[in-house]
Every structure is written in C-alpha cells, then in structure tokens.
Amino acid sequence: IIATSEDNAACSEFIKLVKKEIPSLRIVTNVGDVQQGTGSASKLESYKEGASNADVIASALTSLHLHLRARYFVLTTKSSWTSSIAILARVYGFSTDVYVIDIGKNKNSYSDSARRGG
C-alpha cells in the first residue's frame, strides 16, 4: 500500500489501521513527504513551520512518482489532486488496469474520468 496525504494525522491513522487489521500488507511511504497540512502551496507558513514551496513541489512530485506505479486507488474526487493522480496513472502509469474507489464523490466530468477513465 502506498500511503500519502498532506494530512500527517490522517496518514498516521491509516497506517496504524492497516498494520492492525491487515498486518501482512507492506506499506510504502514517501519519506520526503512534507505533509504540509493543506493541498495548497500558498500560505504554507500558517500550516507547517519550515516548509517551503520548493519542498512541497518536490514532495508532490515524488508522491506522484510512487502513485504512477499503483493499480488500485482509494481516493476522493472532491480533491482535484487525487483525481489527477488517477487520470495520470491510467495514461502514464505502469499498470495495465487501474481501479478507483471514490470515497468522496464529486459530480463533474473530471471526476467521472478519474473514476471510470476517459
């Protein structure tokens, strides 16, 4: 399982849950992930001390690099970032089939493409 989130607490809780419920699964994290607490690169200083825009961009790109190797996604299409990851994984990723479970559905054509492909 590749576990990433801008929310450190959410990521930590998810990892604890997986280790408890399905300990046989391997969990991969992005050790350089800034986890800046927001999906935005603006006003970082109010979310995470010491986080720079360059750190956040590097963090996002290395997380995307990990996700392009995934086949299954649990995401929310209320986030344009996670929708983009699913779409990019279908087009440029290394898996032949990509499956998406949407836990926070948004209703627009971009979200539809993320869920079902384009």
Coordinates of all heavy atoms in Angstrom, one line a residue, residues 55-93:
D55 N 10.0 22.6 -1.3 CA 9.8 21.4 -0.6 C 8.5 20.7 -0.9 O 8.4 19.5 -1.1 CB 9.9 21.6 0.9 CG 11.2 22.0 1.4 OD1 12.2 21.8 0.7 OD2 11.3 22.6 2.5
V56 N 7.4 21.5 -1.0 CA 6.1 21.0 -1.2 C 6.0 20.4 -2.7 O 5.4 19.4 -2.9 CB 5.0 22.1 -1.0 CG1 3.6 21.6 -1.4 CG2 5.0 22.4 0.5
I57 N 6.5 21.2 -3.6 CA 6.5 20.7 -5.0 C 7.3 19.4 -5.2 O 6.9 18.4 -5.8 CB 7.1 21.8 -6.0 CG1 6.2 23.0 -5.9 CG2 7.2 21.3 -7.4 CD1 4.8 22.8 -6.3
A58 N 8.5 19.3 -4.5 CA 9.3 18.1 -4.6 C 8.5 16.9 -4.0 O 8.5 15.8 -4.5 CB 10.6 18.3 -3.9
S59 N 7.9 17.2 -2.8 CA 7.1 16.2 -2.1 C 5.9 15.7 -3.0 O 5.7 14.5 -3.1 CB 6.5 16.8 -0.9 OG 5.7 16.0 -0.2
A60 N 5.2 16.6 -3.7 CA 4.1 16.2 -4.5 C 4.6 15.4 -5.7 O 4.0 14.4 -6.1 CB 3.4 17.5 -5.0
L61 N 5.7 15.8 -6.3 CA 6.2 15.1 -7.5 C 6.7 13.7 -7.1 O 6.5 12.7 -7.9 CB 7.2 15.9 -8.2 CG 6.7 17.2 -8.9 CD1 7.9 17.9 -9.5 CD2 5.7 16.8 -10.0
T62 N 7.4 13.6 -6.0 CA 7.8 12.2 -5.6 C 6.7 11.3 -5.2 O 6.7 10.1 -5.5 CB 8.9 12.3 -4.5 OG1 8.4 13.1 -3.4 CG2 10.2 12.9 -5.0
S63 N 5.6 11.9 -4.6 CA 4.4 11.1 -4.3 C 3.7 10.7 -5.6 O 3.3 9.5 -5.7 CB 3.5 11.9 -3.4 OG 4.0 12.0 -2.1
L64 N 3.6 11.6 -6.5 CA 3.0 11.2 -7.8 C 3.8 10.1 -8.5 O 3.3 9.2 -9.0 CB 3.0 12.5 -8.7 CG 2.5 12.2 -10.1 CD1 1.1 11.7 -10.1 CD2 2.6 13.5 -11.0
H65 N 5.1 10.2 -8.4 CA 6.0 9.1 -9.0 C 5.7 7.8 -8.4 O 5.6 6.8 -9.1 CB 7.5 9.5 -8.7 CG 8.5 8.6 -9.4 ND1 8.7 8.6 -10.7 CD2 9.3 7.7 -8.8 CE1 9.6 7.7 -11.0 NE2 10.0 7.1 -9.8
L66 N 5.5 7.7 -7.1 CA 5.1 6.5 -6.4 C 3.7 6.0 -6.9 O 3.5 4.8 -7.2 CB 5.0 6.7 -4.9 CG 6.3 6.8 -4.1 CD1 6.0 7.2 -2.7 CD2 7.0 5.4 -4.2
H67 N 2.8 6.9 -7.0 CA 1.4 6.6 -7.4 C 1.3 6.1 -8.8 O 0.4 5.3 -9.1 CB 0.4 7.8 -7.2 CG 0.1 8.0 -5.7 ND1 -0.5 7.1 -5.0 CD2 0.4 9.0 -4.9 CE1 -0.6 7.5 -3.7 NE2 -0.1 8.7 -3.7
L68 N 2.2 6.5 -9.7 CA 2.1 6.0 -11.1 C 2.4 4.6 -11.2 O 2.1 4.0 -12.2 CB 3.0 6.8 -12.0 CG 2.6 8.3 -12.2 CD1 3.7 9.0 -13.1 CD2 1.3 8.4 -12.9
R69 N 2.8 3.9 -10.1 CA 3.1 2.5 -10.1 C 1.9 1.7 -9.5 O 1.9 0.5 -9.5 CB 4.3 2.2 -9.3 CG 5.6 2.5 -10.1 CD 6.7 3.0 -9.3 NE 7.9 3.2 -10.2 CZ 8.1 4.2 -11.0 NH1 7.1 5.1 -11.2 NH2 9.1 4.3 -11.7
A70 N 0.9 2.4 -9.0 CA -0.2 1.7 -8.4 C -1.3 1.3 -9.4 O -1.4 1.8 -10.5 CB -0.8 2.7 -7.4
R71 N -2.0 0.3 -8.9 CA -3.1 -0.3 -9.8 C -4.5 0.0 -9.1 O -5.5 0.2 -9.8 CB -2.9 -1.8 -9.9 CG -3.9 -2.4 -10.8 CD -3.6 -3.8 -11.0 NE -4.5 -4.3 -12.1 CZ -4.5 -5.6 -12.4 NH1 -3.8 -6.5 -11.9 NH2 -5.3 -6.0 -13.4
Y72 N -4.5 0.1 -7.8 CA -5.8 0.3 -7.1 C -5.7 1.6 -6.3 O -4.6 1.9 -5.7 CB -6.1 -0.8 -6.1 CG -6.1 -2.2 -6.8 CD1 -5.0 -3.0 -6.8 CD2 -7.3 -2.6 -7.4 CE1 -5.1 -4.2 -7.4 CE2 -7.4 -3.8 -8.1 CZ -6.3 -4.6 -8.1 OH -6.3 -5.8 -8.7
F73 N -6.7 2.4 -6.3 CA -6.7 3.7 -5.7 C -8.0 3.8 -4.8 O -9.1 3.5 -5.3 CB -6.7 4.9 -6.7 CG -5.5 5.0 -7.5 CD1 -5.3 4.3 -8.7 CD2 -4.4 5.8 -7.1 CE1 -4.2 4.3 -9.4 CE2 -3.3 5.9 -7.8 CZ -3.1 5.2 -9.0
V74 N -7.8 4.3 -3.6 CA -8.9 4.8 -2.8 C -8.7 6.2 -2.6 O -7.6 6.7 -2.0 CB -8.9 4.0 -1.4 CG1 -10.1 4.6 -0.5 CG2 -9.1 2.5 -1.6
L75 N -9.6 7.0 -3.1 CA -9.4 8.5 -3.1 C -10.7 9.2 -3.1 O -11.8 8.6 -3.1 CB -8.6 8.9 -4.4 CG -9.2 8.4 -5.8 CD1 -10.3 9.3 -6.2 CD2 -8.1 8.4 -6.8
T76 N -10.6 10.5 -3.0 CA -11.8 11.3 -3.1 C -11.7 12.2 -4.3 O -10.7 12.9 -4.5 CB -12.0 12.2 -1.8 OG1 -13.1 13.1 -2.1 CG2 -10.8 13.0 -1.4
T77 N -12.7 12.2 -5.2 CA -12.7 13.1 -6.3 C -13.1 14.5 -5.9 O -13.2 15.4 -6.8 CB -13.6 12.6 -7.4 OG1 -14.9 12.3 -6.9 CG2 -13.1 11.3 -8.1
K78 N -13.4 14.8 -4.6 CA -13.5 16.2 -4.2 C -12.2 16.9 -4.2 O -12.1 18.1 -4.1 CB -14.2 16.2 -2.8 CG -15.6 15.8 -2.8 CD -16.2 15.9 -1.4 CE -17.7 15.5 -1.5 NZ -18.3 15.5 -0.2
S79 N -11.1 16.1 -4.4 CA -9.8 16.7 -4.5 C -9.4 16.6 -6.0 O -9.3 15.5 -6.5 CB -8.8 15.9 -3.6 OG -7.5 16.1 -4.0
S80 N -9.0 17.7 -6.5 CA -8.6 17.7 -7.9 C -7.2 17.0 -8.0 O -6.9 16.4 -9.1 CB -8.5 19.1 -8.5 OG -7.7 19.9 -7.8
W81 N -6.4 17.0 -7.0 CA -5.1 16.4 -7.0 C -5.3 14.9 -7.0 O -4.6 14.2 -7.9 CB -4.3 16.8 -5.7 CG -3.0 16.0 -5.6 CD1 -2.7 15.1 -4.6 CD2 -1.9 16.1 -6.4 NE1 -1.4 14.6 -4.8 CE2 -0.9 15.2 -5.9 CE3 -1.6 16.8 -7.6 CZ2 0.3 15.1 -6.5 CZ3 -0.3 16.7 -8.2 CH2 0.6 15.8 -7.6
T82 N -6.1 14.3 -6.2 CA -6.3 12.8 -6.3 C -7.0 12.4 -7.6 O -6.7 11.3 -8.1 CB -7.0 12.2 -5.0 OG1 -8.3 12.8 -4.9 CG2 -6.2 12.5 -3.8
S83 N -7.9 13.2 -8.1 CA -8.5 12.9 -9.4 C -7.4 12.9 -10.4 O -7.4 12.0 -11.3 CB -9.6 13.9 -9.7 OG -10.6 13.9 -8.8
S84 N -6.5 13.9 -10.4 CA -5.4 13.9 -11.4 C -4.5 12.7 -11.3 O -4.1 12.2 -12.3 CB -4.6 15.2 -11.2 OG -5.4 16.4 -11.4
I85 N -4.2 12.3 -10.1 CA -3.4 11.1 -9.9 C -4.0 9.9 -10.6 O -3.3 9.2 -11.3 CB -3.1 10.8 -8.4 CG1 -2.2 11.8 -7.8 CG2 -2.6 9.4 -8.2 CD1 -2.0 11.7 -6.3
A86 N -5.3 9.7 -10.4 CA -6.0 8.5 -11.1 C -5.9 8.6 -12.6 O -5.7 7.7 -13.3 CB -7.4 8.4 -10.6
I87 N -6.2 9.8 -13.1 CA -6.2 10.0 -14.5 C -4.7 9.8 -15.1 O -4.5 9.1 -16.1 CB -6.7 11.4 -14.9 CG1 -8.2 11.5 -14.6 CG2 -6.4 11.8 -16.4 CD1 -8.8 12.8 -14.6
L88 N -3.8 10.4 -14.4 CA -2.4 10.3 -14.9 C -1.9 8.8 -14.8 O -1.2 8.4 -15.7 CB -1.4 11.2 -14.1 CG -1.6 12.7 -14.4 CD1 -0.8 13.5 -13.3 CD2 -1.1 13.0 -15.8
A89 N -2.3 8.1 -13.8 CA -2.0 6.7 -13.7 C -2.5 5.9 -14.8 O -1.8 5.0 -15.3 CB -2.5 6.1 -12.3
R90 N -3.7 6.2 -15.3 CA -4.3 5.5 -16.4 C -3.5 5.8 -17.7 O -3.3 4.9 -18.5 CB -5.7 5.9 -16.6 CG -6.7 5.2 -15.7 CD -8.1 5.3 -16.1 NE -9.0 4.6 -15.2 CZ -9.5 5.1 -14.2 NH1 -9.4 6.4 -13.9 NH2 -10.3 4.4 -13.4
V91 N -3.1 7.0 -17.9 CA -2.5 7.4 -19.1 C -1.0 7.1 -19.1 O -0.4 6.6 -20.1 CB -2.7 9.0 -19.4 CG1 -2.0 9.4 -20.6 CG2 -4.2 9.2 -19.5
Y92 N -0.3 7.5 -18.0 CA 1.2 7.4 -18.0 C 1.7 6.3 -17.0 O 2.9 6.1 -16.9 CB 1.8 8.7 -17.6 CG 1.4 9.8 -18.6 CD1 0.5 10.8 -18.2 CD2 1.9 9.9 -19.8 CE1 0.2 11.8 -19.1 CE2 1.6 10.9 -20.7 CZ 0.7 11.9 -20.3 OH 0.4 12.9 -21.2
G93 N 0.8 5.7 -16.3 CA 1.3 4.8 -15.2 C 1.8 3.5 -15.8 O 1.7 3.2 -17.0

